[in-house]
Amino acid sequence: MSTCSTASQELDEPLAGTAATARTWLLLEQPGPWGAKALTSSHLDPALGRALEAAAKGTGVRVALIRRPGRHADLGTPSARQVYAAHTEPGGVWLHSATIRDPEDLLDLDFAALGRGEHRSFDSTLGGRPHSGDPLALVCTNGKRDRCCALLGRPLAAELAASGVEGVWEVTHLGGHRFSPTLLVLPYGYAYGRARAHAVKQVLHSVQEGRIVVEGCRGNSAWERPGQAAELAVRTAAREYAAEALAVVGTRGAAPRWEVTVAHSDGRRWRVVVAQGASAPPRPESCGTSVLGSPAHMEVVQVRELVPTALAS
């Protein structure tokens, strides 16, 4: 069976620079089936879903629904729901959790502050506290958005859960379903595509040690897509895998060409030239449409370490 994910893999479409962008993730447990736009087409009150979308708009916060792997029959309204908030910008990374009974309480959060990396309102409003468990592995399984997410994502989530991996959740949408199975790993916010269970386990083990695996990585959601590609290129060139060692501190230009400055916590800097190209030949970008497209991809043209005298140039 030909799908958008098999076409993408056969054409070797690059993964770097394709992650969804969000400085802060807000995740609400919502069992049961999900529609294509899950915040407004699930068993969550659609009015609440629309209000959450409006509250998050322009703040850097991305709201998603999560559920435990397995069957998703309608079991009624859950008496308690797990909620997570995670900020992914290096130097200020955190992951907090809470248990709530009324999801309407989320509307009392200060979304602008969450987007800036402040967790005070999450803790005070929801009784949140720092997450003390294993890293979260959020596998996209929303088949109503694209069948690849169900065909490939749900078996991956189930396999991880069955093998005893803690912190595994299904999530509504991470973008780029042609890279299925896709997942997001928190707290650091790196996304992965074409994931396999053994590789995910290695990623999670590395995250527990404060390190990032570059293979199969789509980028850090804290950055825009040119920054995602630039940061991964610097990691590879410098062999730097410490999770919070690198940050995107400047981006000049506009599509189709950018100059991205990546800084190391030790003071080193790199100038990275990133170009936007169109993937050829045309291919299905989603299983939900018969239209062929040429999705944009990020190509790293140059990685150059800056010497101190060149930093102002």
Side-chain angles (χ1 to χ4, degrees):
M1 177 178 61
S2 179
T3 63
C4 65
S5 61
T6 57
S8 175
Q9 187 160 12
E10 288 169 359
L11 294 170
D12 198 25
E13 187 177 349
L15 291 168
T18 66
T21 56
R23 294 191 301 273
T24 301
W25 292 83
L26 180 62
L27 309 169
L28 170 65
E29 183 179 4
Q30 177 58 58
W34 296 333
K37 295 183 178 180
L39 279 180
T40 55
S41 54
S42 69
H43 289 181
L44 184 70
D45 180 354
L48 173 59
R50 287 189 292 271
L52 289 171
E53 288 178 337
K57 187 174 182 179
T59 65
V61 176
R62 188 176 177 114
V63 184
L65 303 181
I66 57 174
R67 64 191 178 195
R68 288 295 188 184
R71 297 177 63 86
H72 304 300
D74 181 7
L75 300 177
T77 302
S79 60
R81 303 169 188 250
Q82 188 67 38
V83 183
Y84 295 100
H87 188 65
T88 61
E89 285 188 283
V93 169
W94 50 262
L95 171 60
H96 284 212
S97 65
T99 302
I100 64 172
R101 294 188 177 278
D102 186 355
E104 293 273 352
D105 292 344
L106 295 182
L107 294 178
D108 294 328
L109 294 173
D110 186 338
F111 281 79
L114 283 174
R116 294 192 299 268
E118 302 168 15
H119 51 72
R120 187 180 303 109
S121 76
F122 184 86
D123 296 346
S124 62
T125 302
L126 305 181
R129 60 187 59 189
H131 175 66
S132 58
D134 289 339
L136 302 186
L138 308 166
V139 182
C140 184
T141 63
N142 191 352
K144 293 296 185 181
R145 272 195 93 92
D146 191 280
R147 62 178 174 171
C148 286
C149 298
L151 292 173
L152 300 174
R154 290 190 66 184
L156 173 63
E159 181 179 356
L160 290 170
S163 65
V165 175
E166 299 292 336
V168 180
W169 293 86
E170 298 186 7
V171 68
T172 45
H173 184 50
L174 297 176
H177 25 248
R178 64 187 182 278
F179 304 120
S180 294
T182 65
L183 77 149
L184 176 75
V185 179
L186 295 174
Y188 299 117
Y190 285 83
Y192 291 82
R194 303 181 188 131
R196 299 294 180 264
H198 69 279
V200 174
K201 292 175 184 178
Q202 180 58 47
V203 167
L204 295 174
H205 177 72
S206 295
V207 166
Q208 287 180 310
E209 297 182 341
R211 296 183 293 110
I212 298 303
V213 172
V214 171
E215 290 78 17
C217 191
R218 300 175 61 195
N220 186 333
S221 73
W223 317 126
E224 297 295 329
R225 292 184 176 182
Q228 295 173 12
E231 189 243 29
L232 289 176
V234 171
R235 283 196 178 278
T236 300
R239 298 185 179 181
E240 177 55 81
Y241 306 113
E244 294 190 76
L246 299 178
V248 174
V249 296
T251 302
R252 296 191 303 180
R257 192 176 180 89
W258 300 265
E259 286 190 356
V260 181
T261 303
V262 178
H264 194 290
S265 56
D266 66 10
R268 287 179 291 162
R269 291 193 174 204
W270 291 261
R271 183 71 46 78
V272 185
V273 178
V274 180
Q276 177 177 291
S279 299
R283 79 285 308 275
E285 296 185 60
S286 170
C287 291
T289 176
S290 59
V291 177
L292 300 182
S294 300
H297 66 266
M298 297 294 129
E299 179 181 353
V300 173
V301 177
Q302 181 187 65
V303 178
R304 178 168 60 93
E305 186 172 356
L306 301 177
V307 296
T309 56
L311 291 180
S313 64

